[in-house]
Amino acid sequence: MREQKRSVVRRICLLAGICMLLAAALMMVSWQRGMRVSQQQAADYVHALRTLLPEPQNAFPEERSNNAMPALSLDGTDFIGILEMPRYGSALPVCADWGRISQYPCRFNGSIYDGTLQIGGSTQKGQYDFYREISAGDSVFFTDMQGGRYAFAVTDLHYAKHADQAALQRKEADLTLFIKNAYSFEYIIISCGASS
């Protein structure tokens, strides 16, 4: 009788283990599919934005009476620009709404026009999945919704546990990018200086 109970317990444990492995595999497949969909959707939005924007013209951060950034709405999502890092073949739409951070890079604070723009993203597939390779000197371009194309170069990279205003406020940066590492829960903060 005791041996029979042990056998039943073993079977239950084995069945529970198999169920947990299957559930984990399904979650992984679902997560990867979601990342592929987000990556394709970001590429589609970049293409759509480029067709709607005027021909890009070189622009530089400068004092304006109004630093508000215009947005263009696609499928109910407002975008303020396209962020490009040519070395990595990356072109990403930048969302005006911080709540979309899991899908696209988003504006956290500031404006491209006065050199205070802060853009956050993640290391998830389709965003900054090349984050380990970013280095000083890399070219970065931001095109606003009026066709102004702003050129920058990465000047500094540092790591922080939090991405708050104290960590992001860099006087020498004309553009600040920060990336949440989804695996280590650490932030990579990238300072960029305007290029001519």
Side-chain angles (χ1 to χ4, degrees), residues 59-61 115 140 150-155 172-175 191-196:
F60 305 94
V140 178
Y150 297 81
F152 302 91
V154 174
T155 56
E172 68 281 359
D174 297 306
L175 171 67
S191 299
C192 302
S195 300
S196 52

Coordinates of all heavy atoms in Angstrom, one line a residue, residues 59-61 115 140 150-155 172-175 191-196:
A59 N 19.3 69.9 -39.5 CA 18.8 70.9 -38.5 C 19.8 70.8 -37.2 O 20.5 69.8 -37.1 CB 17.4 70.6 -38.1
F60 N 19.8 71.8 -36.4 CA 20.6 71.9 -35.2 C 19.8 72.4 -34.0 O 18.9 73.2 -34.2 CB 21.8 72.8 -35.5 CG 22.6 72.5 -36.7 CD1 22.3 73.1 -37.9 CD2 23.6 71.6 -36.6 CE1 23.0 72.8 -39.0 CE2 24.3 71.2 -37.8 CZ 24.0 71.9 -39.0
P61 N 20.1 71.9 -32.8 CA 19.4 72.4 -31.6 C 19.6 73.9 -31.5 O 20.7 74.4 -31.7 CB 20.0 71.6 -30.5 CG 20.6 70.4 -31.1 CD 21.0 70.8 -32.5
G115 N 18.0 71.0 -27.0 CA 19.0 70.1 -26.6 C 18.8 69.4 -25.2 O 19.8 69.1 -24.6
V140 N 24.3 59.1 -34.3 CA 22.9 59.0 -33.9 C 22.2 60.1 -34.6 O 22.7 61.3 -34.7 CB 22.7 59.2 -32.4 CG1 21.2 59.1 -32.0 CG2 23.5 58.1 -31.6
Y150 N 18.5 65.9 -37.1 CA 19.5 66.3 -36.2 C 20.6 65.2 -36.0 O 20.2 64.1 -35.8 CB 18.9 66.6 -34.8 CG 17.9 67.7 -34.8 CD1 16.6 67.5 -35.3 CD2 18.2 69.0 -34.4 CE1 15.6 68.5 -35.4 CE2 17.3 70.0 -34.5 CZ 16.0 69.8 -34.9 OH 15.1 70.8 -35.0
A151 N 21.8 65.6 -36.1 CA 22.9 64.7 -36.1 C 23.7 64.8 -34.7 O 23.9 65.9 -34.2 CB 23.9 64.9 -37.2
F152 N 24.0 63.6 -34.2 CA 24.7 63.5 -32.9 C 25.8 62.5 -33.0 O 25.7 61.6 -33.8 CB 23.7 63.2 -31.8 CG 22.6 64.1 -31.6 CD1 21.4 63.9 -32.3 CD2 22.7 65.2 -30.8 CE1 20.3 64.8 -32.2 CE2 21.6 66.1 -30.7 CZ 20.4 65.9 -31.4
A153 N 26.7 62.5 -32.0 CA 27.6 61.4 -31.8 C 27.6 61.1 -30.3 O 27.5 61.9 -29.5 CB 29.0 61.9 -32.2
V154 N 27.7 59.8 -30.1 CA 27.8 59.3 -28.7 C 29.1 59.8 -28.0 O 30.2 59.6 -28.6 CB 27.7 57.8 -28.6 CG1 28.0 57.3 -27.2 CG2 26.4 57.2 -29.2
T155 N 29.0 60.5 -26.9 CA 30.1 61.0 -26.2 C 30.5 60.3 -24.9 O 31.6 60.3 -24.5 CB 29.9 62.5 -25.9 OG1 28.7 62.7 -25.1 CG2 29.8 63.4 -27.1
E172 N 26.6 68.2 -20.5 CA 27.3 68.2 -21.8 C 26.5 67.4 -22.9 O 26.9 67.4 -24.0 CB 28.7 67.5 -21.6 CG 28.6 66.0 -21.3 CD 28.4 65.7 -19.8 OE1 28.2 66.6 -19.0 OE2 28.3 64.5 -19.5
A173 N 25.3 66.9 -22.6 CA 24.6 66.1 -23.5 C 23.5 67.0 -24.2 O 22.8 67.7 -23.6 CB 23.9 64.9 -22.8
D174 N 23.5 66.9 -25.6 CA 22.4 67.5 -26.3 C 21.3 66.6 -26.6 O 20.2 67.0 -27.0 CB 23.0 68.0 -27.7 CG 24.1 69.1 -27.5 OD1 23.8 70.1 -26.8 OD2 25.2 68.9 -28.0
L175 N 21.5 65.3 -26.4 CA 20.5 64.2 -26.5 C 20.9 63.1 -25.5 O 22.1 62.8 -25.5 CB 20.4 63.7 -27.9 CG 19.6 62.4 -28.2 CD1 18.1 62.8 -28.0 CD2 19.8 61.9 -29.6
S191 N 25.0 59.6 -23.4 CA 25.0 61.0 -23.7 C 25.5 61.2 -25.2 O 26.5 60.6 -25.6 CB 26.0 61.7 -22.8 OG 25.6 61.6 -21.4
C192 N 24.8 62.1 -25.9 CA 25.2 62.4 -27.2 C 25.4 63.9 -27.4 O 24.6 64.7 -26.9 CB 24.1 62.0 -28.2 SG 23.7 60.2 -28.1
G193 N 26.4 64.3 -28.2 CA 26.6 65.7 -28.5 C 26.3 66.0 -29.9 O 26.4 65.1 -30.8
A194 N 25.8 67.2 -30.1 CA 25.4 67.6 -31.5 C 26.6 67.6 -32.4 O 27.7 68.0 -32.0 CB 24.7 69.0 -31.5
S195 N 26.4 67.1 -33.6 CA 27.4 67.1 -34.7 C 27.0 68.1 -35.8 O 25.9 68.4 -36.0 CB 27.5 65.7 -35.3 OG 27.8 64.8 -34.4
S196 N 28.0 68.6 -36.4 CA 27.7 69.6 -37.5 C 27.7 68.9 -38.8 O 28.1 67.8 -39.0 CB 28.8 70.7 -37.6 OG 30.1 70.2 -37.6

